[in-house]
Amino acid sequence: MSVPAHAKLSPVESVLTRTVGDEMVLLNLSTEYYFGLDPVGAAMWQAICDTGTLTGAQEVLSGVYDVETARVGNDLRDLVEQLVEHHLLEVADE
Amino acid sequence: MSSVRPRIGAGDVARVAAAVPVLLVLDAMVRLLGVRRGQQVLERLVPLRALAPDRDPAGGVEAAGIALALDRAAARVCRWSGRCLRRSLALWAWLRLRGVDAQIQFGVRRQGTALVGHAWVSHDGLAIAETAEMLAAHVSFGEVK
C-alpha cells in the first residue's frame, strides 16, 4: 500500500511498546503480534509518533542522521508500510 | 535435562477436564475480539467478587493448583500460539471469582533472531504460579487491564 506523505499516522490503540536492550518491541494486543525495531527503526517510530506524518518524521530524522533526505524518506516509507501491514500503525482517513 | 512433574490425582484430572472448554471459549474470544476487548468482555461476564477476609487465593496452594491444571489442559488442547495468554485469562477470571483483582502482564524475550512473547498473571506486583526463571527471561510490557 502507498501511504500519502501528509496522511495522519498514529499507533494503533492496542499497541504496547517496550525497550529490550537496544531495540524496541511493539506488541499488538489484538493480533498478538510482536514486532522488533532496531535503534534506527525505534527512532523512526518515535519520530512518526511525535509528528504524526511521514513528512514530519522525515524532517526530524534528516536533522539527526547524516544521510540524504530522499533515503530517509524511502526508509521511512518502507517501515511505515510494514507497520501498517501488521496493524501496528494506522493511517487516518483524509 | 529431565524435569520432575508432580503426580496427578483424581481431583487434578477433574480440574484439567474442566479447564479444556474454558480454554477453548477463551481462545475463540481472543481470536474474535483481540486481547484487550476480550478481557473487557470477560470482566463483565466475571464480576469481581468480595474476598473472604481469611483467604488469600492469589498466593495460595489453590491458585497454584488451578494454574497447573490450566497448564496441563493447555498443553493438550492448545496447539496454537498464545497458550500462556489463554491460560492467564482463565486464571485471571478464576481469581476474580475469588475476590482477587489481578492483572495480566505481557513480556518478551529475544531468542536468536526471534521475539518470543509470554503472558502471566500478577497481583500486588507478584507473579502468580510462574517460575523465577521465566520471569527473569522476559522484559515486561507492564500490567494490562
Side-chain angles (χ1 to χ4, degrees):
Chain A
M1 84 172 272
S2 179
V3 177
H6 294 282
K8 182 73 183 158
L9 305 172
S10 57
V12 170
E13 190 206 352
S14 56
V15 170
L16 304 178
T17 61
R18 188 73 167 90
T19 302
V20 181
D22 62 352
E23 69 180 328
M24 179 178 277
V25 179
L26 312 179
L27 163 62
N28 185 330
L29 287 175
S30 293
T31 60
E32 300 173 66
Y33 186 81
Y34 290 85
F35 191 90
L37 295 169
D38 65 15
V40 176
M44 288 182 174
W45 169 266
Q46 196 58 55
I48 292 163
C49 293
D50 289 346
T51 64
T53 62
L54 264 173
T55 50
Q58 186 174 346
E59 280 175 26
V60 168
L61 294 166
S62 296
V64 175
Y65 294 100
D66 187 21
V67 291
E68 294 170 27
T69 304
R71 186 178 161 192
V72 172
N74 288 338
D75 289 351
L76 257 176
R77 189 173 293 279
D78 287 347
L79 178 64
V80 165
E81 287 174 1
Q82 283 187 66
L83 294 171
V84 171
E85 182 186 345
H86 292 297
H87 308 290
L88 297 163
L89 195 67
E90 58 191 1
V91 184
D93 294 332
E94 290 184 283
Chain B
M1 192 173 92
S2 65
S3 63
V4 179
R5 293 172 72 98
R7 295 186 67 173
I8 188 163
D12 298 322
V13 171
R15 278 179 173 168
V16 172
V20 169
V22 172
L23 289 169
L24 291 171
V25 168
L26 290 174
D27 177 58
M29 188 178 275
V30 169
R31 284 173 188 271
L32 281 171
L33 304 174
V35 180
R36 188 165 270 166
R37 281 191 60 211
Q39 191 180 5
Q40 287 167 350
V41 169
L42 199 57
E43 202 167 29
R44 284 198 291 273
L45 293 174
V46 185
L48 182 65
R49 301 265 173 87
L51 176 65
D54 58 337
R55 296 187 66 189
D56 177 23
V61 174
E62 197 180 6
I66 293 294
L68 185 64
L70 287 166
D71 284 339
R72 286 181 163 142
R76 284 163 176 77
V77 301
C78 302
R79 301 298 179 197
W80 55 84
S81 61
R83 182 189 297 174
C84 57
L85 172 62
R86 280 73 177 166
R87 175 253 204 208
S88 294
L89 280 169
L91 182 59
W92 173 80
W94 180 85
L95 287 166
R96 287 179 64 79
L97 288 173
R98 277 141 191 87
V100 179
D101 191 14
Q103 290 79 38
I104 293 179
Q105 294 210 26
F106 291 84
V108 67
R109 68 185 159 89
R110 171 65 70 188
Q111 188 173 56
T113 57
L115 288 170
V116 180
H118 185 51
W120 64 92
V121 178
S122 71
H123 180 242
D124 283 346
L126 295 175
I128 298 170
E130 281 291 331
T131 65
E133 291 82 6
M134 184 67 89
L135 294 171
H138 292 85
V139 176
S140 175
F141 281 88
E143 292 177 350
V144 177
K145 192 186 169 198

